[in-house]
Amino acid sequence: ELIANVGNFVNRALSFTQKTYAGRVPAPGEFDGDDDAAKAAIEETVREAGRLLSANGTDRALKKIMACSNHFNQYFQKKKPWSDGRAAATTLYVAVNATRSLAIMLAPFIPFSCEKMWRQLNLEGSVHEQSWQSALEFLVSPDHALGRVEPIFRKIEAKEIEEQKAKLGVMK
């Protein structure tokens, strides 16, 4: 679920920005209700997941973050930046910044994948140097150049799993 949910959203958002805006974050227009709701979803998730992590509720925090990622998959699908040129710039600006926020929130769970997201966003430093609260802010500016975009996760085929099991001496 994690791979499909996060990987799909991040790849769609960054690849579409790369293709449509030559890899540069577009300047947003005026936010509509969906854009405001997307920003609010990030804010609520940062606060609630942070509270849960502080209370050692890691499973519930991850579920909350995954729900936020799912929200952004639905947001992207609803906004259809591929068919609505007027809304595309704002949608992609929000989506790229949501990717940054998700990278920060998911870093405790999938640190290497989040570092890969950070490099694809072409942001300075490491995702692990960011404060949790900075995930609240849209800090990827218009005209920022993205890095090389590629899938964050790769699908592992059943054959590969069986080969690794055989190497480890795991019985079927």
Side-chain angles (χ1 to χ4, degrees):
E1 178 188 355
L2 178 69
I3 291 170
N5 187 321
V6 175
N8 183 49
F9 169 67
V10 171
N11 192 53
R12 288 173 76 195
L14 300 185
S15 293
F16 200 78
T17 303
Q18 191 81 288
K19 183 177 107 182
T20 309
Y21 290 93
R24 296 205 166 269
V25 178
E30 190 171 324
F31 277 26
D32 66 15
D34 292 327
D35 304 318
D36 289 333
K39 179 83 166 110
I42 290 172
E43 292 168 354
E44 197 267 330
T45 303
V46 169
R47 288 188 179 93
E48 183 63 15
R51 184 190 67 73
L52 288 165
L53 284 171
S54 294
N56 207 23
T58 54
D59 287 351
R60 289 176 46 216
L62 181 57
K63 284 180 183 159
K64 188 74 179 164
I65 297 166
M66 294 309 301
C68 182
S69 177
N70 190 52
H71 174 90
F72 278 96
N73 271 310
Q74 292 172 4
Y75 165 81
F76 202 84
Q77 194 63 33
K78 181 178 182 183
K79 297 290 280 191
K80 297 182 175 135
W82 53 89
S83 65
D84 185 351
R86 291 176 300 121
T90 303
T91 301
L92 294 172
Y93 172 80
V94 169
V96 167
N97 275 284
T99 298
R100 178 188 171 277
S101 295
L102 286 168
I104 292 168
M105 290 187 285
L106 287 168
F109 301 97
I110 50 171
F112 298 111
S113 298
C114 289
E115 195 62 42
K116 193 172 182 181
M117 290 165 63
W118 201 255
R119 285 193 311 270
Q120 289 185 37
L121 287 166
N122 196 28
L123 297 172
E124 291 185 18
S126 167
V127 68
H128 306 292
E129 297 168 344
Q130 309 311 305
S131 74
W132 183 265
Q133 292 302 310
S134 75
L136 288 166
E137 302 174 57
F138 280 8
L139 297 178
V140 184
S141 303
D143 204 40
H144 173 79
L146 297 178
R148 183 170 169 242
V149 176
E150 59 188 12
I152 297 166
F153 306 106
R154 74 174 183 88
K155 185 175 180 176
I156 299 173
E157 300 297 331
K159 181 182 175 190
E160 281 183 85
I161 294 169
E162 292 306 317
E163 288 170 357
Q164 290 300 317
K165 284 181 176 181
K167 285 181 185 177
L168 295 171
V170 176
M171 305 287 272
K172 286 187 178 185

